Amino acid sequence: MDGNGRWAKARGKDRIYGHFEGVESVRAVMEAAVEWGIPYISFFAFSEENWGRPEQEVLALMELMGRTMVGELDNFLEHRIRFVVLGNRARLSDELNASIDRMMAATAGGDALTMILFLSYSGQWDILQAAEKMAHDLMNHPGQPVRPEDLSRHLVTAGIPDPDLLIRTSGEKRISNYLLWQTAYTEFVFTDTLWPDFRKEAFREALEEFASRDRRFGKIK
Ligand code: FPP
């Protein structure tokens, strides 16, 4: 969800104002996902690297996320949305973790759309924590062959399908330590649109571009 800071700066406002407006884009994209029957949608809201931002911005973002998620509970229940947070939750405050646990428990039965918020997440961290668990398994079963699925089931995304499409906004063309393992065959769409301007129409365009791609998964059609 890149470009919130630049969007705010262009209007002479503080960066957090861009994050507030970014929440409206999350809402618009989720409404479209429900309308179009998309089963999973995820948002990279805060990376492990984002902890290095000024304390004031980090605190404001955490506050915004806690307040926004709790405020959406009725909306999530009404639309049968399952809310999931994935990432290094040990770094989040007890208060935020308690709100996340409550939201996840309350929406666990949501069967229309799964919304995943990646918080304090990094792809390398995820692979490392999975590798550690896999090493533990191997110590108990030495000599056992190791397949990609064995790592996948220890990633925080276990049980969630790999993404078909990854959209990156604001003209950046990098993966920035997002889902490194899970994006092996993901289609990427890059747009110059800043996240606060990314609404239903921009989402539709990205999906149209995705639909035009020829996915071969390394094979020949
Ligand atoms: C990147 O833009 C955006 C973030 C680091 C935060 C995104 C988080 C939200 C919009 C909150 C969503 C919360 C919920 C609960 C749905 P940037 O700050 O890197 O902007 P820049 O690239 O212009 O500097």
Side-chain angles (χ1 to χ4, degrees):
M1 294 188 277
D2 287 288
N4 294 346
R6 277 165 283 168
W7 187 93
K9 199 172 165 218
R11 284 156 183 81
K13 307 251 187 182
D14 195 64
R15 296 176 55 83
I16 193 68
Y17 180 72
H19 297 315
F20 272 82
E21 200 57 31
V23 170
E24 297 310 312
S25 294
V26 172
R27 204 168 274 132
V29 165
M30 285 190 57
E31 269 172 30
V34 169
E35 185 185 328
W36 299 334
I38 293 169
Y40 291 88
I41 190 150
S42 52
F43 298 91
F44 195 9
F46 196 86
S47 69
E48 282 274 78
E49 292 78 9
N50 286 154
W51 289 110
R53 290 194 178 197
E55 196 184 351
Q56 187 199 355
E57 184 174 348
V58 171
L59 285 174
L61 263 172
M62 292 296 153
E63 227 267 311
L64 173 66
M65 287 189 281
R67 203 158 18 93
T68 306
M69 69 177 78
V70 172
E72 292 300 314
L73 180 59
D74 289 346
N75 200 3
F76 283 6
L77 292 174
E78 184 191 337
H79 291 102
R80 307 204 321 272
I81 296 168
R82 173 167 71 120
F83 176 74
V84 175
V85 169
L86 298 178
N88 187 359
R89 287 190 50 192
R91 295 188 76 173
L92 305 178
S93 72
D94 291 347
E95 194 191 345
L96 185 57
N97 271 321
S99 296
I100 292 168
D101 285 340
R102 272 200 308 276
M103 285 292 294
M104 285 178 52
T107 64
D111 56 0
L113 168 69
T114 297
M115 186 253 200
I116 306 150
L117 199 62
F118 282 92
L119 261 188
S120 191
Y121 181 84
S122 98
Q124 289 179 341
W125 164 81
D126 196 5
I127 293 169
L128 275 179
Q129 65 82 31
E132 218 175 318
K133 289 178 184 151
M134 205 166 80
H136 194 261
D137 285 355
L138 281 171
M139 278 194 303
N140 292 330
H141 306 278
Q144 175 185 284
V146 178
R147 300 151 307 166
E149 313 76 279
D150 299 315
L151 191 105
S152 296
R153 70 188 165 81
H154 289 307
L155 294 169
V156 293
T157 49
I160 292 168
D162 289 342
D164 287 312
L165 166 64
L166 187 148
I167 302 167
R168 183 139 197 193
T169 55
S170 87
E172 310 288 4
K173 294 183 179 71
R174 295 184 291 279
I175 189 149
S176 297
N177 214 351
Y178 191 34
L179 299 164
L180 300 179
W181 176 275
Q182 299 89 334
T183 50
Y185 278 98
T186 297
E187 296 292 328
F188 287 71
V189 168
F190 298 104
T191 168
D192 288 337
T193 304
L194 303 178
W195 178 253
D197 290 326
F198 192 92
R199 301 282 160 99
K200 191 175 182 181
E201 214 30 58
F203 189 26
R204 184 199 301 278
E205 280 169 24
L207 290 179
E208 277 168 5
E209 185 174 339
F210 168 75
S212 74
R213 301 275 175 89
D214 180 20
R215 303 185 80 193
R216 295 184 300 280
F217 300 93
K219 301 181 175 66
I220 295 170
K221 265 191 179 162

